[in-house]
Amino acid sequence: MSLSLRQIRYFVATAEAGQVSQAAVNLAISQSAVTTAIKDLEETIGAALFERTPHGMDLTGAGRRFLSQAYEILQKVEEATQLSLVSEEVTGTLSIAATYTVIGYFLPFHIERMKRQFPGLSIQLFEMNRESVEEGLLANRYDIAVMLTSNILNPELVAEKLLSSQRRLWVPARHRLLSESQIGLKEVAEEDYIMLTVDEASHSSMKYWSQTPYLPKISLRTSSVEAVRSLVANGQGVAILSDMVHRPWSLEGRRIETITLTDPIPSMDVGLAWKRNAEFSPAMDAVRAYFRRSFNVPE
């Protein structure tokens, strides 16, 4: 039996998510497809890549070594498939504004890819809050922005959504809510709550909480996603955050589980924004086309 790129991609997704179920959600496929691919991969390699635990999938020593090789394989494949897209014609400078969450959890991978595809293009990146991004686009200080489009307020800006990241409840491993069949905001309101404030996260949270009879029992407000991660993992509270910023482990090596809530929780939308009626330069066109290809956005 030979290795396939599908097996490698499913293995990497599971290693990053720490759970077959979460990997399946991220890949938009069935759990059985992920499980079968990993089993076939382990048989081909002749070694166990994961240790199956009640709380998820932990990499074995062989799994950690193979993960490094898997990343290299996928990178080489990516480079090979992008050769025809490399454009020597796009030149000049492009200024891109981005908000905290986007620049920390979404943009670096794409900046690296764009620099390979457009070697003649100099990309200048600026991080700031939403208000400053909006004002800078209107004042022509920035050509385009990558931001949480679900937060944009100014009608003089045009937004184009690239992806929607579902928000779920974060709880520590072995939390009592993990044994419940259905969890909603009513049950969350009984727990100490860690409220993230960066990128207007608290404002977004209160908009959907306000549609219910319940309120979160906030024990701490913080602008740090890593602080939320550590506090949740160490049993100091729960949080509702998007899949894009979720990682299954805290800095201390403790596990964070996710629960899909029964109440309607809006997704966190990420996309492009620019000034209405802006005249697109060739560089802006190239970057917009890159993101559209990457996320299958219709032209």
Side-chain angles (χ1 to χ4, degrees):
M1 188 181 298
S2 59
L3 273 70
S4 70
L5 287 176
R6 176 181 58 83
Q7 292 171 345
I8 293 173
R9 289 192 177 100
Y10 291 7
F11 162 75
V12 169
T14 304
E16 291 179 341
Q19 293 176 313
V20 169
S21 59
Q22 186 61 53
V25 169
N26 295 342
L27 293 165
I29 59 173
S30 67
Q31 292 188 38
S32 60
V34 177
T35 300
T36 299
I38 291 173
K39 180 181 178 182
D40 291 344
L41 183 60
E42 289 178 323
E43 290 180 357
T44 300
I45 294 174
L49 301 174
F50 291 101
E51 178 185 354
R52 280 74 171 171
T53 75
H55 310 294
M57 303 282 277
D58 296 341
L59 285 169
T60 62
R64 287 191 291 272
R65 292 191 293 274
F66 186 75
L67 181 61
S68 176
Q69 299 297 319
Y71 279 130
E72 290 187 18
I73 292 169
L74 294 179
Q75 181 178 353
K76 293 298 182 184
V77 171
E78 174 70 19
E79 290 174 355
T81 56
Q82 296 297 328
L83 285 176
S84 62
L85 297 176
V86 173
S87 174
E88 303 286 349
E89 299 176 1
V90 181
T91 60
T93 300
L94 184 73
S95 59
I96 300 178
T99 50
Y100 169 86
T101 304
V102 168
I103 207 169
Y105 296 91
F106 173 80
L107 202 49
F109 169 77
H110 296 289
I111 291 292
E112 188 269 338
R113 287 184 68 191
M114 286 190 289
K115 285 186 174 180
R116 283 194 281 111
Q117 287 189 25
F118 312 119
L121 178 63
S122 173
I123 297 177
Q124 297 179 343
L125 194 58
F126 302 88
E127 179 194 331
M128 59 201 65
N129 60 31
R130 177 191 56 80
E131 294 93 335
S132 297
V133 171
E134 292 185 359
E135 192 273 331
L137 288 173
L138 295 176
N140 298 315
R141 287 197 298 275
Y142 314 113
D143 298 310
I144 202 165
V146 187
M147 58 192 300
L148 304 185
T149 53
S150 45
N151 289 355
I152 292 176
L153 297 178
N154 198 306
E156 294 303 311
L157 298 180
V158 177
E160 185 169 271
K161 183 174 71 174
L162 299 173
L163 66 88
S164 294
S165 181
Q166 185 172 352
R167 289 183 170 100
R168 304 178 205 268
L169 178 67
W170 292 15
V171 298
R174 297 180 293 279
H175 192 278
R176 66 178 186 85
L177 292 180
L178 291 167
S179 61
E180 301 292 331
S181 58
Q182 290 189 321
I183 303 297
L185 292 178
K186 177 182 178 181
E187 289 74 24
V188 177
E190 298 172 358
E191 303 288 324
D192 287 338
Y193 193 90
I194 313 299
M195 178 66 80
L196 183 68
T197 60
V198 73
D199 271 354
E200 302 171 291
S202 58
H203 177 69
S204 299
S205 295
M206 294 313 298
K207 281 197 294 185
Y208 59 77
W209 276 100
S210 66
Q211 303 302 310
T212 75
Y214 316 111
L215 287 174
K217 189 170 62 175
I218 300 171
S219 60
L220 178 69
R221 298 176 186 269
T222 176
S223 62
S224 169
V225 177
E226 292 306 323
V228 176
R229 203 186 316 280
S230 290
L231 288 163
V232 170
N234 284 280
Q236 300 305 301
V238 301
I240 299 174
L241 291 175
S242 77
D243 288 345
M244 192 175 78
V245 301
H246 175 257
R247 301 293 182 271
W249 304 101
S250 71
L251 294 175
E252 303 86 5
R254 296 192 173 183
R255 191 165 185 83
I256 302 103
E257 308 283 0
T258 62
I259 299 173
T260 301
L261 297 172
T262 55
D263 291 284
I265 307 296
S267 62
M268 185 180 76
D269 298 337
V270 179
L272 303 177
W274 59 88
K275 183 180 179 180
R276 190 176 298 278
N277 300 322
E279 183 176 346
F280 268 56
S281 65
M284 292 171 67
D285 279 327
V287 167
R288 185 185 183 193
Y290 160 82
F291 279 112
R292 283 179 162 179
R293 286 194 305 269
S294 298
F295 294 94
N296 299 312
V297 176
E299 294 290 338

